[in-house]
Amino acid sequence: MKILVTGGTGYIGSHTVVELQKKGFEVIIADNLSNSSIDVIDSIGKITGIKPLFEKIDLSEQEPTKDLFSHYPDLNSVIHFAAYKAVGESVTMPLKYYQNNLCSLINLLREMESHGIRDIVFSSSCTVYGQPDILPVTETAPIKKAASPYGNTKQIAEEIITDVSKVTAIQAILLRYFNPIGAHESALIGELPLGVPNNLVPYITQTAIGKRDFLNVWGKDYHTPDGTAIRDYIHVVDLAMAHVTAIERMLEGKNKQKVEVFNLGTGIGYSVLDVIKSFERTSKEKLNYKFMERRPGDVEEVWADTEFANRELGWKAERGLDEMTLSAWRWEQRLAGL
Ligand code: WQD
């Protein structure tokens, strides 16, 4: 079974490629390397013993995407990660995000249809819910107006996939991620933010390793037990395994609708301070941090209702917060050559 993984040298993509190969799938990675390193291919090879095929490609260009699918006529399914994902950057450069994230998807779907490839797993995000009215948030919660062009590309992408599935053989599973953190236990792959990290955990580990002076904790006045914002952090390996389960679900014809949506979280909300304390416990490092003003666009608290994914998809996150923060720390140490 040949699976095309777009964005497969990226953070979640690379961890998913490892889990696909462990289940015997043959993987072709398509990536433009705009936000990842070609070294990830060798790292995956070291973990699984199989170096995935790799095609450097800009999927937002129609001709190269056509060539890719002509070069691999026996693809079975697609897992689509490739997208720009920096929330802040999307606000200042909306066209870059709409053009890349939506044209890539449209080109992919067009080639899938013309080559008779039926199944796509799409990387979506809990950001589509905004600040949910009810917590934990279920898949039937209303979609809120996106707070950023990045979030809007996820919402529009879900609608494009749904509309295309109505008039073609294409069927899809949309996976709405909560907050992916951590790294593979080998510390050979992990999150590789270019420049200053936007996200909490890479900023924590870079502060502890000495690359940053201190962590800014954005907001201490939220209506939460300790005043800091709450998120549903999920280990990237748990997240990766859900993608394999989703692909198998469609290959085995177990999906019950042409488009299915699943929340991928742990169902547990942790605050920023909870994550800091977990990191200090597992790394045995004292973290330097300061409480600052809230970050514009942040929601106060969000965590997943995992019942549908656990029951219907047959997937459940297994790894706890301490395993997430420790694996992130081990990855940061390896990046520093320790
Ligand atoms: C988590 C919490 C911050 C950095 C984003 C995207 C989402 C997905 C995951 C792509 C918040 C606080 C953060 C820092 C801090 N990305 N924080 N200091 O914003 O929940 O989600 O990343 O799919 O779509 O929106 O994740 O890690 O940026 O923030 O205090 O230096 O940590 O305020 O409360 P977020 P995050």
Side-chain angles (χ1 to χ4, degrees):
M1 284 290 183
K2 278 189 182 171
I3 312 292
L4 174 66
V5 179
T6 74
T9 49
Y11 174 41
I12 301 162
S14 56
H15 287 82
T16 301
V17 169
V18 165
E19 299 308 321
L20 283 167
Q21 290 185 330
K22 281 165 63 177
K23 291 296 285 285
F25 288 99
E26 185 179 350
V27 174
I28 295 102
I29 292 176
D31 202 299
N32 67 4
L33 299 178
S34 66
N35 193 24
S36 57
S37 162
I38 188 69
D39 298 342
V40 168
I41 301 293
D42 283 341
S43 301
I44 292 170
K46 282 187 192 135
I47 294 170
T48 62
I50 309 160
K51 270 179 76 171
L53 294 171
F54 175 75
E55 298 290 346
K56 186 176 186 298
I57 177 173
D58 178 354
L59 292 165
S60 70
E61 299 289 331
Q62 189 172 5
E63 284 313 307
T65 307
K66 274 182 185 292
D67 296 345
L68 174 72
F69 278 78
S70 305
H71 192 59
Y72 295 99
D74 53 350
L75 287 175
N76 294 92
S77 313
V78 176
I79 303 182
H80 182 41
F81 293 103
Y84 294 145
K85 62 161 196 167
V87 174
E89 185 188 48
S90 78
V91 174
T92 56
M93 303 173 79
L95 283 180
K96 175 181 175 182
Y97 276 68
Y98 286 115
Q99 194 273 337
N100 182 66
N101 293 6
L102 299 181
C103 291
S104 299
L105 174 68
I106 290 164
N107 290 337
L108 266 182
L109 292 171
R110 185 182 282 118
E111 292 312 311
M112 284 179 65
E113 187 186 359
S114 63
H115 287 265
I117 298 166
R118 186 190 62 182
D119 305 343
I120 180 169
V121 172
F122 176 67
S123 162
S124 191
S125 169
C126 66
T127 200
V128 303
Y129 300 119
Q131 175 58 67
D133 302 319
I134 300 168
L135 288 171
V137 62
T138 67
E139 289 83 353
T140 56
I143 303 299
K144 294 270 183 86
K145 179 160 173 40
S148 69
Y150 159 75
N152 206 22
T153 65
K154 291 299 184 185
Q155 291 181 9
I156 297 167
E158 290 193 359
E159 290 167 8
I160 291 171
I161 292 168
T162 302
D163 288 344
V164 168
S165 74
K166 287 172 185 163
V167 292
T168 67
I170 290 174
Q171 54 184 16
I173 292 182
L174 312 177
L175 298 177
R176 292 179 179 160
Y177 308 161
F178 282 68
N179 285 60
I181 63 170
H184 190 265
E185 60 188 7
S186 65
L188 288 170
I189 52 175
E191 195 165 3
L192 206 57
L194 298 182
V196 180
N198 296 302
N199 296 131
L200 176 64
V201 170
Y203 207 107
I204 287 176
T205 57
Q206 287 191 12
T207 300
I209 205 86
K211 284 180 76 172
R212 311 284 164 204
D213 295 336
F214 57 87
L215 169 76
N216 295 296
V217 175
W218 303 126
K220 181 74 168 66
D221 60 348
Y222 286 105
H223 302 103
T224 60
D226 64 20
T228 62
I230 291 174
R231 296 290 185 277
D232 184 332
Y233 296 95
I234 176 170
H235 197 294
V236 67
V237 174
D238 279 328
L239 196 67
M241 295 170 96
H243 291 74
V244 182
T245 307
I247 280 286
E248 289 172 332
R249 178 178 174 85
M250 289 192 283
L251 285 174
E252 293 159 12
K254 292 179 180 165
N255 52 317
K256 293 175 181 161
Q257 292 170 8
K258 286 207 72 184
V259 177
E260 293 182 315
V261 181
F262 294 102
N263 284 343
L264 297 186
T266 65
I268 304 169
Y270 285 113
S271 72
V272 175
L273 278 174
D274 290 331
V275 177
I276 291 171
K277 288 188 188 109
S278 166
F279 175 77
E280 292 184 325
R281 185 167 54 241
T282 57
S283 65
K284 301 192 178 20
E285 298 281 338
K286 186 82 186 74
L287 190 73
N288 191 12
Y289 59 92
K290 293 178 182 168
F291 294 110
M292 311 295 280
E293 290 304 305
R294 295 183 181 189
R295 179 172 67 177
D298 274 351
V299 297
E300 181 161 72
E301 51 183 353
V302 59
W303 65 90
D305 181 317
T306 59
E307 193 276 332
F308 186 58
N310 298 163
R311 172 174 51 80
E312 188 54 47
L313 183 58
W315 165 89
K316 184 171 171 45
E318 303 295 341
R319 293 161 178 82
L321 183 62
D322 283 4
E323 188 172 348
M324 298 180 213
T325 56
L326 181 56
S327 63
W329 178 232
R330 290 206 171 117
W331 164 244
E332 189 68 62
Q333 289 178 305
R334 177 178 285 267
L335 284 177
L338 298 178

